[in-house]
Amino acid sequence: MSTDPIDFQFDGDERAKQTIVLAHGAGAPMDSPFMNDMASELARHGLRVARFEFPYMAKRRIDGKKRGPDRAPVLTAFYADVVRQLGEPEKLVIGGKSMGGRIASMVADDLGVGGLVCLGYPFHPPGKPENLRTEHLKVLRTPALICHGTRDPFGRPDEIAGYQLSGRIGLHWVEDGEHDFKPRKSSGRTQNQNIVDAAAAISGFAQSLT
């Protein structure tokens, strides 16, 4: 447990009843275009959004050197510190993009948070469907929403349909979306439309928890 203050980036009304905590993915920072757009849309729905960076990504911001994520125990411990510093876990919906959402899903039950939101859950590495990351999702007790693209290589709809997932987990399908929710031009949709739709689904999910 660390007592060092965490550098949060907040969006939305600080008086909001609920806060969505979003961790970044493995390779992009908390202020990537995707994270900026998602935070902005969630704030438009009246939610407060708190973003942060895991230590390895915060170091990159300082020295510009790319480094891979720390091992899961380090990341889960840090996410626990995030929740402690924000306080009132029952008012928090924690989650994040890809890896960030996966780490949140690993600590949600233990931390007693109000809900979990995953933006593109990495069910398995691309091209390796046998390497599943779903064992803990079978017994998840925290209400959860996974927003997942129908073309996401980290888990196709037909694969996910066969997984044994907790009944507490709901799915919002991002139409023609890749791992970053980006659709093909031929779909007639845009990434922004998919982010807007996902934010609306998350808002509805958050409201259902109150």
Side-chain angles (χ1 to χ4, degrees):
M1 182 188 305
S2 173
T3 57
D4 295 335
I6 294 170
D7 185 17
F8 290 103
Q9 181 170 337
F10 291 103
D11 296 85
D13 189 345
E14 63 180 19
R15 298 165 298 179
K17 293 181 179 179
Q18 291 169 295
T19 296
I20 310 291
V21 187
L22 293 182
H24 55 82
M30 66 179 175
D31 57 356
S32 67
F34 177 92
M35 294 289 282
N36 284 342
D37 291 346
M38 182 59 73
S40 177
E41 283 300 318
L42 290 172
R44 285 183 61 244
H45 284 278
L47 295 162
R48 190 186 193 208
V49 182
R51 287 180 275 171
F52 70 92
E53 289 181 339
F54 292 109
Y56 80 93
M57 187 62 71
K59 290 177 183 176
R60 180 198 293 191
R61 191 174 291 278
I62 295 171
D63 61 21
K65 295 181 181 178
K66 288 190 175 183
R67 31 176 80 77
D70 294 306
R71 297 184 67 83
V74 175
L75 300 176
T76 54
F78 191 80
Y79 214 130
D81 285 339
V82 165
V83 170
R84 290 189 193 98
Q85 291 199 22
L86 288 171
E88 297 185 290
E90 68 280 359
K91 295 184 179 180
L92 301 179
V93 177
I94 68 171
K97 178 76 180 78
S98 192
M99 180 203 76
R102 180 190 176 206
I103 296 301
S105 73
M106 295 167 71
V107 298
D109 283 353
D110 290 338
L111 298 179
V113 297
L116 168 71
V117 167
C118 299
L119 307 172
Y121 187 86
F123 289 100
H124 61 71
K128 298 181 179 180
E130 69 280 4
N131 293 351
L132 287 178
R133 299 158 172 163
T134 58
E135 194 63 30
H136 67 290
L137 298 182
K138 297 177 182 179
V139 293
L140 186 75
R141 301 187 306 275
T142 304
L145 178 67
I146 296 176
C147 299
H148 200 79
T150 59
R151 294 190 304 115
D152 193 327
F154 287 80
R156 300 193 315 267
D158 61 321
E159 294 171 338
I160 296 169
Y163 298 157
Q164 295 178 13
L165 300 179
S166 164
R168 302 291 274 168
I169 299 174
L171 280 162
H172 166 75
W173 291 109
V174 179
E175 188 176 340
D176 205 60
E178 264 274 6
H179 196 50
D180 60 358
F181 296 1
K182 188 174 182 180
R184 293 167 292 191
K185 287 185 178 180
S186 61
S187 72
R189 295 185 61 81
T190 65
Q191 184 184 37
N192 182 254
Q193 283 178 306
N194 281 343
I195 289 175
V196 167
D197 287 354
I202 293 168
S203 175
F205 168 69
Q207 290 177 20
S208 74
L209 302 175
T210 58

